[in-house]
Amino acid sequence: MSRAATDAAAAREAFAAWVEEAGEGGRVFGQVLVRAPEPGLFSLRHVEEAGASGLKLHEDPREAREISKTTEGGEYRPLKSSPNLRRGWELRVSGAGDLLVAMNYLYPAGVVHWHLHREGRLEVTSYRENAARQSGIYKRVQRLSDGGVQDTARACCEDAVCLKKTLWDVDEDTPLGMDRGDGEVPCPEPCSVFVSLARRVRLFEREKKRDLDAIGLSPSEKEDLAALVEAAATGHVEFAREAEFEKPLNERRMRYRRLTLAPKLRPGA
Amino acid sequence: MRALIIVGHGSHLNEDSSLPVYEHAERIRLTGEFDEVVECFWKEEPSMRHVLDTVESDEVFVVPAFISEGYFTQQVIPRELGLEGPVTVKGDKTVRYAGPLGTFEGMPDVILERVEDLMRGRETRGRTSLVLLGHGTDLNKNSGGVIYLNAARIRERGLYDEVGVGFLDQEPEIGGVVENADADDVILIPVFIAEGWHTRETIPEDLGLTGEVTHLDGKRVFYGAPVGTHPSMANLIVARARETEPGRETQVV
């Protein structure tokens, strides 16, 4: 057995054992409550439905993919660690192998990273290392300022929007200043959703240098404010899709604006 | 143990892009040829960057679910997976990297199966033109090249009065393919991996298509589903993987 093969296989066994050791209460991984009602038998459900009855029962671990694909409102979930896992289901599987299959659809690669992190062997890649690899339309993220990385991480990675525990830093000398989260699922490297938001924030940084108006607002800041006002005036703010960062009413984009635009609008607040 | 990793583009916005990868993976899983069949993506999870962490096998086959040789197959996928060439040894894992699907010699057969699906219960009349629709880009000649390659391979079989090509982002443009076809019946097959914005919206809008059959300029136009979602693509993925094994280079489909 190779070292890497051992890692994936060992993670499978370690995770099953971790759940079994927990007794009746089970373990929480992301938003999933995993319990072992008897050895080798696993029951998974949304953590907020620990005592619920009448849940839709699934017994094929690969049905976890459908469960994790859309929110309760039917919206596509590009990031499985977003705190928007739908409720109303129970998945019963037998054996550590099927448990891992299910977990890998609910939190892709989450179990093996959890295992490696517990053993102190998870390789972590900083933002700057990740950015250095980027090419094509993402190459520009190499020029994102340290402050821009910090604000993007706060906007994109805090528990309000992503339940992974952020392990990476801006670079080896510059730690992230955000609350990294308390969950069990480690995040060893900026993900593609993060890089996509970072690209958008870099576009904002560039315009700030050249296009500020008399009161210091950039064109995209004004666009976002106008979109917000117009939407709110209808009584119903419809948000853009989760990773649709080019649209003003995107939650993570708004979280970034809260960090960077709100202080400009309320100086001294 | 042997693992097959299928690499898809994926999407941050909708599920259409990755769906064929999941479906082909499931079909291949059922054959039992591989101990593990795993999906990974550029824009979805698991990322290419982390997929090898999840694999237990020591023999790993990586097949890109991409049509053409280009930016993704030559640059992004090898970089993200840490591949050094056709064969990369990573620890005790031997990772074999296959070519894209569109350039494979079995591709014309899948395209013709798509035509068959579309034309089942329908008869062509008069001169018939098959037109392969691709994305194309002026930035990389391989993108359009793979469409020309498949058109040439099908042309050699002499099944249609003419076999043409049309592109979204290079000449000849899709908007002109029906008008320029010297035929009574025109069969359009999108050579794309997944259903999506282009196959559902851009192409039908460019041509004024209203469904599977549209009457345009006195011609009957048949519009098929994308080649990449055809179940036979699963066989192509497996054949691409097998081809990378030493001594099996010639034993494809």
Side-chain angles (χ1 to χ4, degrees):
Chain A
M1 268 284 189
S2 70
R3 172 62 178 272
T6 308
D7 285 341
R12 157 167 50 83
E13 297 307 318
F15 187 75
W18 182 65
V19 172
E20 286 174 339
E21 281 160 17
E24 276 182 22
R27 300 283 191 184
V28 177
F29 198 80
Q31 284 181 292
V32 176
L33 173 64
V34 192
R35 291 184 285 206
E38 51 189 89
L41 198 69
F42 301 95
S43 163
L44 292 74
R45 56 174 65 195
H46 194 288
V47 65
E48 289 165 17
E49 294 181 318
S53 55
L55 301 176
K56 185 175 179 204
L57 180 66
H58 303 263
E59 294 185 311
D60 177 352
R62 296 200 182 272
E63 285 177 20
R65 182 169 76 80
E66 283 300 315
I67 293 168
S68 71
K69 194 163 73 180
T70 49
T71 64
E72 266 165 36
E75 291 207 19
Y76 174 68
R77 299 175 71 228
L79 188 64
K80 304 305 181 209
S81 45
S82 280
N84 56 8
L85 181 68
R86 71 159 116 133
R87 289 166 295 186
W89 55 273
E90 182 191 358
L91 184 57
R92 282 189 210 151
V93 297
S94 52
D98 278 1
L99 174 61
L100 183 64
V101 168
M103 293 308 298
N104 270 338
Y105 284 119
L106 293 163
Y107 295 99
V111 168
V112 69
H113 287 163
W114 164 87
H115 173 67
L116 291 171
H117 184 49
R118 286 214 313 176
E119 299 223 318
R121 295 192 288 121
L122 180 59
E123 269 184 49
V124 174
T125 304
S126 73
Y127 175 80
R128 292 288 169 217
E129 289 172 88
N130 175 290
R133 297 205 305 272
Q134 301 298 330
S135 56
I137 62 167
Y138 296 106
K139 200 172 171 61
R140 67 172 71 236
V141 303
Q142 291 167 3
R143 304 173 78 90
L144 185 64
S145 68
D146 282 3
V149 179
Q150 298 279 10
D151 288 335
T152 306
R154 288 188 189 101
C156 194
C157 310
E158 285 182 347
D159 276 356
V161 281
C162 178
L163 295 172
K164 282 190 179 178
K165 186 199 286 274
T166 313
L167 301 181
W168 47 272
D169 291 306
V170 181
D171 58 41
E172 58 183 25
D173 301 320
T174 318
L176 284 182
M178 61 176 279
D179 181 349
R180 291 169 186 268
D182 301 319
E184 290 287 348
V185 196
C187 175
E189 176 167 0
C191 67
S192 71
V193 169
F194 183 91
V195 173
S196 179
L197 181 61
R199 173 174 179 269
R200 185 59 45 186
V201 170
R202 176 59 196 153
L203 293 170
F204 296 156
E205 279 188 346
R206 278 173 54 95
E207 75 177 345
K208 277 182 182 168
K209 286 187 186 132
R210 31 165 227 248
D211 301 319
L212 296 194
D213 70 3
I215 56 168
L217 295 183
S218 71
S220 74
E221 285 172 334
K222 287 190 280 192
E223 184 193 351
D224 286 11
L225 285 172
L228 254 185
V229 169
E230 282 163 6
T234 67
H236 176 68
V237 179
E238 192 167 320
F239 281 95
R241 287 178 284 184
E242 185 170 354
E244 213 169 10
F245 302 128
E246 69 277 22
K247 296 264 177 78
L249 301 185
N250 173 277
E251 185 181 359
R252 285 178 173 79
R253 177 163 165 158
M254 280 292 134
R255 287 172 58 86
Y256 172 76
R257 294 301 193 203
R258 183 170 64 189
L259 294 164
T260 56
L261 171 59
K264 274 205 258 182
L265 298 172
R266 287 204 198 100
Chain B
M1 284 174 72
R2 289 152 52 91
L4 172 67
I5 296 177
I6 309 175
V7 184
H9 187 285
S11 164
H12 284 164
L13 301 180
N14 64 66
E15 65 191 77
D16 295 338
S17 172
S18 56
L19 185 64
V21 171
Y22 284 115
E23 289 181 341
H24 298 321
E26 190 53 27
R27 289 182 186 109
I28 297 167
R29 231 170 250 133
L30 293 173
T31 69
E33 177 159 349
F34 297 89
D35 300 291
E36 298 175 275
V37 181
V38 182
E39 311 89 352
C40 74
F41 304 94
W42 170 232
K43 291 282 198 166
E44 293 177 35
E45 304 162 285
S47 65
M48 292 180 232
R49 181 82 171 149
H50 294 131
V51 71
L52 283 168
D53 295 342
T54 70
V55 168
E56 294 181 26
S57 302
D58 46 6
E59 246 190 297
V60 182
F61 300 85
V62 175
V63 179
F66 284 77
I67 295 291
S68 68
E69 195 76 76
Y71 175 60
F72 280 99
T73 61
Q74 290 171 334
Q75 197 174 333
V76 176
I77 297 173
R79 179 188 79 207
E80 295 296 302
L81 278 160
L83 307 182
E84 288 150 7
V87 182
T88 306
V89 176
K90 292 174 81 74
D92 288 347
K93 277 184 167 62
T94 302
V95 185
R96 300 182 189 282
Y97 182 42
L101 303 177
T103 53
F104 192 58
E105 60 191 58
M107 186 66 170
D109 294 313
V110 186
I111 294 172
L112 292 174
E113 283 184 64
R114 259 292 171 244
V115 176
E116 227 175 271
D117 292 346
L118 175 64
M119 301 308 290
R120 191 163 296 129
R122 295 175 172 136
E123 279 186 24
T124 53
R125 59 185 185 208
R127 278 178 62 84
T128 304
S129 170
L130 172 67
V131 183
L132 306 185
L133 307 178
H135 193 289
T137 168
D138 289 332
L139 302 174
N140 186 328
K141 66 179 177 7
N142 291 335
S143 175
V146 69
I147 307 298
Y148 280 106
L149 173 73
N150 282 286
R153 285 175 172 171
I154 292 174
R155 204 173 287 126
E156 282 169 11
R157 303 188 188 193
L159 300 168
Y160 302 95
D161 295 298
E162 58 179 35
V163 181
V165 298
F167 298 100
L168 286 169
D169 276 358
Q170 70 180 63
E171 296 285 337
E173 284 183 359
I174 279 173
V177 295
V178 172
E179 194 186 331
N180 296 330
D182 178 16
D184 305 290
D185 279 351
V186 183
I187 301 170
L188 305 175
I189 299 291
V191 185
F192 286 72
I193 286 291
E195 279 285 11
W197 183 54
H198 289 315
T199 59
R200 289 210 186 97
E201 292 178 45
T202 336
I203 296 171
E205 277 169 21
D206 278 2
L207 283 162
L209 305 179
T210 53
E212 277 194 349
V213 188
T214 309
H215 293 267
L216 283 176
D217 298 333
K219 295 167 187 166
R220 284 196 312 173
V221 182
F222 300 89
Y223 181 51
V227 175
T229 60
H230 195 284
S232 295
M233 288 300 274
N235 301 332
L236 218 67
I237 291 169
V238 171
R240 265 303 197 203
R242 283 185 196 149
E243 188 188 37
T244 66
E245 285 187 280
R248 297 193 66 168
E249 288 85 349
T250 54
Q251 297 179 22
V252 288
V253 258

